Amino acid sequence: MEFTPKKEIAKQFLYLISKGEVEKAFTNYVGPQFRHHNPYLKGGEVDLKQFLIEESRKNPQMLIKNLRLIEQNDLVMVHSLVKKTSDDVGSIVVYIFRFENHLITEYWDIQQPVPEVMINRNGVL
């Protein structure tokens, strides 16, 4: 079996989610004891999957642009720009994945909308 860095697994998982291939993403990359920490959904795999499927149906042009990926031990952090449509200003999303046996077993997402008017000259990217 070939070794795949966890950050590549996280990147592929997000890519499949952005393309509406939610079932494939979960089948290929999520472990049996998966749980997530989104405060607006129940904590199980089924609830998150259903939410992501609905989002991909509503936003078939969704783009997740990975800006930074950091891997440390069993954790991967992905700093991303997420746009629901090509005209969308987007949101900055930080995804944190915890792995066991090279499968995602825990997931956090923290989101900050990109403001139309930006005060900080450094921007958000």
Side-chain angles (χ1 to χ4, degrees):
M1 183 173 169
E2 190 174 315
F3 174 77
T4 303
K6 293 178 207 75
K7 67 181 177 181
E8 292 302 319
I9 294 169
K11 188 164 59 171
Q12 186 63 24
F13 178 81
L14 292 173
Y15 173 78
L16 290 171
I17 296 294
S18 74
K19 298 302 176 202
E21 297 184 49
V22 175
E23 288 292 341
K24 184 176 181 180
F26 275 77
T27 298
N28 290 347
Y29 301 115
V30 170
Q33 302 299 318
F34 176 81
R35 61 186 176 148
H36 71 85
H37 299 276
N38 185 308
Y40 303 104
L41 303 169
K42 293 182 180 177
E45 178 180 332
V46 173
D47 299 296
L48 181 60
K49 263 203 290 194
Q50 188 57 43
F51 171 78
L52 293 170
I53 289 168
E54 289 172 19
E55 280 295 302
S56 67
R57 284 186 189 139
K58 287 191 293 189
N59 305 296
Q61 295 180 345
M62 183 189 316
L63 166 73
I64 300 176
K65 180 179 180 183
N66 299 319
L67 305 170
R68 292 163 189 85
L69 288 99
I70 300 170
E71 180 176 337
Q72 183 179 0
N73 301 321
D74 65 344
L75 297 173
V76 172
M77 187 275 302
V78 184
H79 177 216
S80 302
L81 172 65
V82 177
K83 298 176 83 171
K84 293 186 177 187
T85 67
S86 58
D87 297 331
D88 183 19
V89 178
S91 293
I92 297 300
V93 181
V94 176
Y95 300 97
I96 303 170
F97 300 96
R98 188 174 67 78
F99 286 79
E100 287 181 16
N101 300 316
H102 268 68
L103 293 173
I104 299 167
T105 56
E106 206 161 2
Y107 165 94
W108 295 262
D109 57 338
I110 303 108
Q111 183 173 356
Q112 174 186 5
V114 174
E116 293 285 338
V117 176
M118 189 140 351
I119 296 170
N120 188 326
R121 68 178 174 260
N122 299 317
V124 294
L125 305 178

